[in-house]
Amino acid sequence: MATKREISEGKKKVDRIKQPVTRAYTSENPKYKVGKALLSVIELRAAGQYCVDLHNYYMRNVNQAEEIMVSYEERHFLQLEGSRNIFIVAWSDLFDLFNLDALDLSLIRCFALHMQQETRRRTGKKCGYIDPQMMTVTFMDSDRDSLVRYMVKCMGVHADKEHIVVPYNPGDHWVTLIINVRSKQVFYLDSSIPSDESGAPQIRDYSLVISILDESLDRHLRASEGYKEQRQVAFTHHTAWTCTQQPSGNSCGFYVCHNMLLVAEKPDFIDEDDYFNQTTLGNVQDIRERLAGFLMMEVVNKKGKFHL
């Protein structure tokens, strides 16, 4: 059967390109030195109290303790990693966090857990969050069927939500996906749209994730009682929704995290074209402090919800 699929490029005129993809995990930053301060004293004071506390914890424990282990339950990500329910934030990942560099997958997962807590406190149940580990090109290539089943499950569990917010890694980069199952729309927020030699913007190749999301939507709807649509159903994909473009560098993870915050604050963002075009350096620094606070209060703290 023919697939009905609509692709919208938002407010930007872009051409499609195919880019090589690799992984979602970052390599250890060559500037990282075990046991050395992650920021100068002046920089640390300006970063915020949670950053100071996390840095002190790092300096006390880096040479004598295991790295930071985050414990979670199946309800948080709707799946577990085999029989275990932990993931690790490496000491070296803290260097990138403090220096506003490339956030490792583990820290993106931490922020997704943080946003689950924030959404319940702020807006009730308007946004759902899934495991960023599942939305990487590595996993998509290796186990597509499992991912489709997982997405169908997520669409069912989060059926009462306005949006499902998804950090997606097409390879060495993070993009925010906002999925609205009710309206059958997906919004793609890329803080680093590539350009050609002339400087003209070019859209990333989203064909793999588009096909997975469309198949998941079709299966989800066909599992619903009374659904009789004969042809395959698909999302409308807004593949270049307007958002702030990051400076050169590896700060895409911070922009994804801030976009997640913005969705929670204004789930009805669709009517405001430039709503996501507001991320500043101050917002990026706030994400750093939020992640430091999550690690200290919810993971390191023995009374924290994600303490092992």
Side-chain angles (χ1 to χ4, degrees), residues 101-115:
D101 209 327
L103 288 183
D104 187 76
L105 172 61
S106 62
L107 290 169
I108 300 292
R109 297 180 86 188
C110 282
F111 200 82
L113 293 172
H114 167 67
M115 284 308 304

Side-chain angles (χ1 to χ4, degrees), residues 1 26 66 79 81 96 107 120 135 225 232 256 267 304:
M1 295 182 182
T26 61
E66 294 181 328
Q79 59 93 30
E81 299 175 58
D96 292 320
L107 290 169
R120 283 193 292 269
M135 293 298 291
E225 184 177 355
Q232 182 177 348
V256 164

Side-chain angles (χ1 to χ4, degrees), residues 119-120 124-129 154-155 157-164 179-182:
T119 299
R120 283 193 292 269
K125 297 183 177 181
K126 292 187 178 180
C127 292
Y129 303 90
C154 291
M155 290 178 185
V157 171
H158 294 310
D160 61 332
K161 310 296 196 302
E162 291 192 32
H163 303 291
I164 301 174
I179 303 172
N180 189 312
V181 176
R182 295 176 189 173

